[in-house]
Every structure is written in structure tokens, then in C-alpha cells.
Amino acid sequence: MPRRTATMLASTLILIALLCAGVLIPVPYSEMSPGPTVNTLGDARGEPVLHITGHKTYPTSGNLNMTTVRVTGADYDMNIVEAVYGWLAHDSVVVPHDTLYPDGKTEEQSTQENAEEFSQSQESAKVAALKELKIPVTSRVVVSTVVKDSAAEGVLHAGDVIKAVDGTAVGKPEDVAKLVTKHRPGQDVVFSVIPVKAAVAAEKAGKEPKGSRDVTLTTRKAPADPADPADPSGEDRAIVGIQAGTDHTFPFDVDIKLADVGGPSAGLMFSLGIVDKLTPGQLTGGKFIAGTGTIDDSGKVGPIGGIALKLVGARDAGARYFLTPDDNCSAAASDTPSGLTLVRVKTLDDAKKSLDKISAGDTAGLPSCSAG
């Protein structure tokens, strides 16, 4: 066989071997890419995303799109070819697998956590929107979860309303932890609670639950917290084995229906959609506006992940303006898709005022994002 032919054959075989290796050998990476966007003022799968009953609503127009990021599953084995393609592509990001699924977290566990965050973001979105419109919302501190084999198991139950700890009234979930940790492990702590059954019965009757009973629990030593070097053993921290949360009672029904979406980052856009539906006029002025951002009960907007990918998804869907959390502004401004105007927001009220300007065509004064 001539030397040139042999060399070409060998090179071809090596190339085939490398391609096979690239396709067959898995690498410890996952891919993130722009996910679908959904208009919170519109429908999804044939039903309104925001469904409000028991209160007057008004016609809306335009778009207030929430944005998402699509990720590969925990069990998906990415190969070298896919990883290289992802690194080179502008509309995707390849990250270490442990970034999305730390400590061997399964896809099911991640999905469950995202679903819980999504549910909480919906509640906060409703509270923030109604507060923005000066519509009263009743809030109560409740037992959110009870840890198995803890001091509270069988004594306190999820949904119990916590009125006081050691006689001190509680107004926020964090008040409970502060009062419990004033004790040393082994000491007693007294919870004044309204049992969940009584609270549910009162809510069905349209009344605020009243009356409480005292429950005494003996605190235990907290487990070690590896993330806190100042607390390697937890021996100085007392716990009873509950997670406190907030339960809200709304004066009318606001249902958010959106399947196959998780995480907390749609909170801002849900709030704006609710505000638009509950107020006369059209908040968007018919414009296509997208955005992202977590939101808390007070209307404060928080940062999210995957901002660059959400910008691409919004631009591809047709958005002209993108409501951007203040803490994400620098990263967003460093790689903004053409034709998309970033609008910096810190609160729900900020976002609403910016939408008023966009609707009126007064875009020169919009708060902008800058790189660096």
C-alpha cells in the first residue's frame, strides 16, 4: 500500500475513533438554554394564567411575559461533542453538572424544590400585588413543616397558627426561630397555637381564627451545620423541629395556573399581571414587555439565575423591553440582545411606574442598566 494512502487511511481511522469517543464518552456537564416565555395576561393550554373571581377585573392588552431557562435532566449524559457545541453556541451555557444538581440531587428532588419555590412565589406575588393596590391581606405565622422524630412531631402540625412563643407575640416566621434559640438545648419552650382544624374551620366561615392553647416542648441540640464554621456542632443552638412560614387569607380568589414551570423567578411578572387585571386601563399600553425577578410580600424584587438566557428567550419571543432586577443589571447589560431595552427595577412599584412610562411613550426617563 502506498505510504500516502496508508497515512490517509490511518488519519481517517483516528478521526472516526475520536468522533466515536466524542459521542460515546460522557462528561460531567449540563446545558442551560432559553426556555419558553409565557404572557401572564394571556392563556396557557387553553385557560387563563391569572384567574380572578370575586372582584371586578378589567380588560388588558399587550404582553407581560415571564421568562424561563431550560436545563438538561440530572440523568442526562452529555458527551464531548455536545459540550463543545454548547460552549461555542451563543444561546446556551454549559456548566458543571454539580452546579445544577449538587450533592447527587436527583431530578425528582430538584423538580420538587422548584415546585415549592414556584408555589411560594405565587403567594408572594399575590400578596405584593394586593398590597400595591391597598387591598387588605390577612397574614398569619403558621407551622410550615414538622421534622420527623423531632420534639414537635405529634404535638404541632403543619397549618397550626403560631400566636406566641413564651408569651411573646410573633409577627414573622423568623420571630419563632429567634425566640426558640434564646433557650439552651434541653430547656422548655411554650408555643401558643391555634390548631389547624380550628384555623381551617374559621377560614371557611369567613372569620379570623381566635383562641389558642399552650403547648410545651423540650428543645433539643441542633445538628451540625457544615456551612457555618462558627457552629461546627450545633451544641449551642436549640431547636424544636419545625419550620415556620406565613399563611395568607385573601379577600377574593386569585388563581395562577401554569404547568411545567418551577422556581421563584416569575414572581414580579405575576404581580404585574394581577395589578393590570385589577385596575382600569392597560398597564402595557399594548407593548410587548418581558421580565424576571423574585418578589417578596413587601414587593421587593430579587435577583435570579440565567439572566443572559432569559434575555435571549424574551427577544426571540418578540419582547421590546425587559424588566431586570437591579442585582442582575450589570450582567444583563454586558450582553444585551439587539432590539431589547433593559429596564432596571428594585420594587414592584418601580416596575409599575416604568410600565406607565412605556405605555405613555416616555421611554427617555426609564431607569437603565449599565455594565461593569
Side-chain angles (χ1 to χ4, degrees):
M1 179 183 298
R3 178 178 298 178
R4 182 177 180 182
T5 302
T7 301
M8 291 179 63
L9 179 60
S11 299
T12 301
L13 292 174
I14 292 173
L15 178 60
I16 292 173
L18 290 173
L19 288 174
C20 289
V23 172
L24 297 175
I25 297 176
V27 291
Y29 291 95
S30 296
E31 184 179 40
M32 302 168 62
S33 58
T37 74
V38 179
N39 185 10
T40 60
L41 301 176
D43 294 349
R45 296 186 177 180
E47 60 180 349
V49 175
L50 301 175
H51 186 67
I52 300 173
T53 55
H55 193 282
K56 182 176 177 58
T57 58
Y58 299 87
T60 61
S61 68
N63 289 63
L64 286 172
N65 279 41
M66 55 159 287
T67 51
T68 64
V69 172
R70 183 181 287 111
V71 299
T72 52
D75 297 329
Y76 180 77
D77 292 325
M78 176 175 285
N79 59 52
I80 296 174
V81 173
E82 291 172 321
V84 172
Y85 180 82
W87 278 318
L88 296 176
H90 179 69
D91 59 351
S92 66
V93 176
V94 174
V95 297
H97 185 273
D98 290 345
T99 301
L100 299 178
Y101 304 100
D103 302 323
K105 183 186 298 182
T106 66
E107 187 171 350
E108 289 74 17
Q109 290 172 323
S110 179
T111 299
Q112 178 62 30
E113 289 182 7
N114 285 335
E116 292 173 358
E117 290 178 339
F118 187 62
S119 177
Q120 181 56 53
S121 76
Q122 292 178 351
E123 288 296 294
S124 294
K126 292 187 284 189
V127 174
L130 268 58
K131 285 185 176 180
E132 176 71 19
L133 298 176
K134 305 297 188 293
I135 298 174
V137 177
T138 302
S139 301
R140 298 187 294 266
V141 178
V142 298
V143 176
S144 180
T145 57
V146 179
V147 178
K148 184 176 175 59
D149 297 327
S150 67
E153 186 180 25
V155 182
L156 296 179
H157 304 85
D160 287 348
V161 179
I162 305 173
K163 302 294 290 185
V165 177
D166 291 328
T168 300
V170 296
K172 303 187 295 292
E174 51 266 34
D175 293 341
V176 177
K178 289 179 181 178
L179 291 167
V180 170
T181 54
K182 285 184 177 181
H183 294 267
R184 299 279 297 175
Q187 293 181 332
D188 289 343
V189 58
V190 179
F191 280 74
S192 299
V193 300
I194 299 174
V196 59
K197 289 184 178 179
V200 170
E203 185 173 338
K204 287 183 177 179
K207 300 178 181 179
E208 181 68 18
K210 296 181 180 180
S212 62
R213 63 184 179 90
D214 289 343
V215 174
T216 301
L217 299 171
T218 302
T219 60
R220 299 179 184 178
K221 181 175 69 174
D225 183 1
D228 185 357
D231 183 28
S233 66
E235 62 185 2
D236 294 327
R237 189 158 48 87
I239 60 172
V240 295
I242 67 164
Q243 179 70 47
T246 305
D247 180 63
H248 304 288
T249 301
F250 300 98
F252 50 88
D253 292 332
V254 181
D255 292 326
I256 300 175
K257 298 182 182 297
L258 193 58
D260 302 326
V261 176
S265 64
L268 170 63
M269 303 312 290
F270 284 143
S271 285
L272 289 169
I274 294 169
V275 169
D276 198 4
K277 283 180 173 285
L278 291 175
T279 51
Q282 298 172 350
L283 199 57
T284 67
K287 306 293 196 307
F288 195 136
I289 299 156
T292 189
T294 65
I295 201 162
D296 65 15
D297 291 359
S298 69
K300 181 180 178 181
V301 177
I304 52 80
I307 185 66
L309 300 174
K310 291 183 176 182
L311 294 176
V312 173
R315 190 273 316 275
D316 290 348
R320 296 289 304 279
Y321 301 91
F322 193 92
L323 303 179
T324 311
D326 181 59
D327 289 339
N328 290 119
C329 255
S330 179
S334 66
D335 191 18
T336 307
S338 60
L340 194 64
T341 299
L342 304 183
V343 181
R344 176 171 48 85
V345 294
K346 295 182 179 180
T347 66
L348 174 59
D349 191 56
D350 284 347
K352 185 173 176 294
K353 289 176 179 176
S354 290
L355 290 181
D356 289 339
K357 291 183 178 180
I358 294 172
S359 177
D362 180 22
T363 58
L366 288 173
S368 61
C369 293
S370 58

